[in-house]
Amino acid sequence: GKNHLEESLQIFRKIGDKRGEATALHFLSYRITLAETLASAQHMAEQSLALYKQLNDPVGQAKLLTQLSLVHDYQGHTEEALNLIQQARIIAGQCGVVDAADDNRLAVALMHGGRFQEARQISQESIQNIEQMEIETEMLAWRYNTLGRIHIHLGDFRLAQQAAERANQIFVELRKQQHPFFLRTLGLVFLAKGSYDRSAEALTYNLSWQDEVDDANQLPRASAHVDQCYLNWRMGRPAEIRRHMKAALEIGSRHGTFLVTLRLLPVAALVALDHSNRRLTHSLITLGNRYPYIKDSHWYTTVALNELHRRLAALPATERAFAETQGRALTLPEMSAELLTLLA
């Protein structure tokens, strides 16, 4: 646990074991990424990376750059996350230890950067490499799930469903039970396809599992609440949207996980428009347009953006012009704070 890691860190520092200190900081950073504030996780990861550089350990550097990529991704710094994992891949390749930089992390970073075609290529290559070993593992299941998520944003909902079902099939064969994360991917597919009952079954199961499990990782719990916002928007349940949006933003704000805010932007804009808050609507749209992950995603377009743009186009030109002049350019943390104030 965290206490043991902290004790180990102090011992390594006391005896001057730089490698032990770097390793303890690495694992503490990962642990804190899941459970506490991302700023603390980033600080520890940067300390660990500096030590690995002093030790001239390229494998350690690649692993820490991968960890820092995860931290920045959770913070909503999608470009920096992608830059860090690409650095990790270069170093790992140079030292001949390719698996020191996780290819699945690269695929997810590319996806969050809105580079969906590149993400799909990396994901497919990763799956092919594992399948050549002719062994079905949980690693393979997770890569199929990532591929399914990427297909969703490309608008290939049939392929997304096939990939998520394959991920779940592998996991069931290995563990004799379904995985809620893989069911979540299926739920997102069903939502885009208009199968709201099937979507609700999968997404609600995932949320219930997240609430019940004793898991330190906060992002999946927040993401489950984000999913419920879109589901309840499509099913016309405004009170539920408000409840889940507040829960997601509170988790994100507490941990510095502003990827949550990014995912909420389209549905939050629809809610703001419903309440005739034109200024906030335009601010949300302006912020979303900075991120290819949102504006170029077929999934967000299907479940929210098409309706948002249609409703905005129906407004009188004077109203649209007023909203554009009043809308403010906010960052993800600033938008999170503003939405929480309105939801209080």
Side-chain angles (χ1 to χ4, degrees):
K2 182 190 170 193
N3 290 340
H4 289 235
L5 286 169
E6 288 176 335
E7 289 172 7
S8 299
L9 176 61
Q10 296 309 316
I11 291 170
F12 289 134
R13 282 175 168 168
K14 187 174 182 179
I15 64 176
D17 184 340
K18 296 293 186 183
R19 185 170 299 280
E21 181 182 352
T23 303
L25 282 166
H26 181 188
F27 284 107
L28 266 173
S29 172
Y30 182 73
R31 178 78 178 178
I32 291 172
T33 299
L34 299 181
E36 298 181 22
T37 66
L38 291 176
S40 298
Q42 181 178 340
H43 179 63
M44 288 191 172
E46 287 170 347
Q47 289 183 71
S48 182
L49 178 61
L51 286 167
Y52 279 126
K53 287 179 177 178
Q54 288 179 28
L55 293 164
N56 195 26
D57 182 344
V59 174
Q61 291 174 50
K63 289 181 177 179
L64 260 297
L65 286 166
T66 301
Q67 165 64 9
L68 276 168
S69 171
L70 178 68
V71 171
H72 279 278
D73 210 358
Y74 278 19
Q75 289 174 318
H77 303 155
T78 53
E79 291 185 7
E80 182 63 16
L82 181 55
N83 179 49
L84 288 163
I85 188 60
Q86 287 173 329
Q87 288 182 48
R89 297 271 291 183
I90 291 169
I91 293 171
Q94 288 172 343
C95 66
V97 186
V98 178
D99 60 357
D102 185 1
D103 50 9
N104 199 56
R105 169 94 288 275
L106 175 59
V108 172
L110 284 165
M111 179 182 70
H112 286 157
R115 294 162 63 172
F116 304 124
Q117 294 287 357
E118 293 173 73
R120 175 162 61 183
Q121 182 178 345
I122 292 293
S123 187
Q124 289 172 333
E125 289 173 357
S126 177
I127 288 170
Q128 289 169 4
N129 291 336
I130 297 172
E131 287 184 332
Q132 284 174 359
M133 296 184 289
E134 298 183 352
I135 301 173
E136 289 191 347
T137 65
E138 285 188 34
M139 182 185 294
L140 181 61
W142 280 104
R143 276 151 179 75
Y144 266 111
N145 187 61
T146 296
L147 180 60
R149 291 167 61 197
I150 295 164
H151 280 313
I152 284 174
H153 292 292
L154 285 166
D156 296 330
F157 300 130
R158 179 183 60 84
L159 293 178
Q161 183 172 342
Q162 289 176 357
E165 287 174 343
R166 179 70 178 123
N168 204 41
Q169 177 192 13
I170 294 169
F171 195 80
V172 168
E173 290 171 357
L174 293 171
R175 294 291 193 93
K176 311 306 178 188
Q177 63 182 19
Q178 300 188 93
H179 198 295
F181 288 4
F182 306 157
L183 292 177
R184 172 190 180 247
T185 303
L186 285 169
L188 297 178
V189 173
F190 296 143
L191 185 58
K193 293 170 73 173
S195 301
Y196 300 143
D197 289 343
R198 295 181 74 185
S199 179
E201 182 180 1
L203 296 180
T204 303
Y205 176 81
N206 179 46
L207 177 62
S208 299
W209 187 86
Q210 297 294 341
D211 285 340
E212 290 173 8
V213 72
D214 183 20
D215 190 342
N217 195 344
Q218 295 297 311
L219 182 60
R221 182 174 286 112
S223 294
H225 284 291
V226 173
D227 299 339
Q228 289 293 319
C229 291
Y230 287 97
L231 173 65
N232 283 288
W233 174 262
R234 303 306 300 178
M235 299 184 78
R237 299 170 178 169
E240 288 297 294
I241 298 170
R242 181 186 180 89
R243 180 171 72 84
H244 288 292
M245 190 177 296
K246 184 179 181 183
L249 288 166
E250 285 176 342
I251 294 170
S253 181
R254 189 163 58 246
H255 296 278
T257 312
F258 295 109
L259 184 61
V260 171
T261 311
L262 177 61
R263 290 172 173 169
L264 278 170
L265 294 177
V267 70
L270 282 165
V271 172
L273 191 58
D274 245 13
H275 287 80
S276 300
N277 192 334
R278 308 284 192 258
R279 180 194 59 78
L280 179 58
T281 302
H282 187 72
S283 293
L284 287 157
I285 293 169
T286 300
L287 184 54
N289 283 339
R290 295 184 206 162
Y291 294 90
Y293 173 66
I294 298 295
K295 69 182 182 68
D296 295 338
S297 163
H298 284 266
W299 190 84
Y300 286 110
T301 297
T302 300
V303 302
L305 292 176
N306 277 340
E307 181 177 356
L308 178 62
H309 294 146
R310 185 170 59 250
R311 291 175 62 181
L312 285 170
L315 292 175
T318 52
E319 268 195 64
R320 291 202 305 274
F322 176 77
E324 289 172 9
T325 59
Q326 294 300 305
R328 293 190 296 145
L330 302 177
T331 64
L332 288 173
E334 289 169 344
M335 181 59 75
S336 182
E338 177 148 343
L339 290 171
L340 279 171
T341 300
L342 291 172
L343 291 167

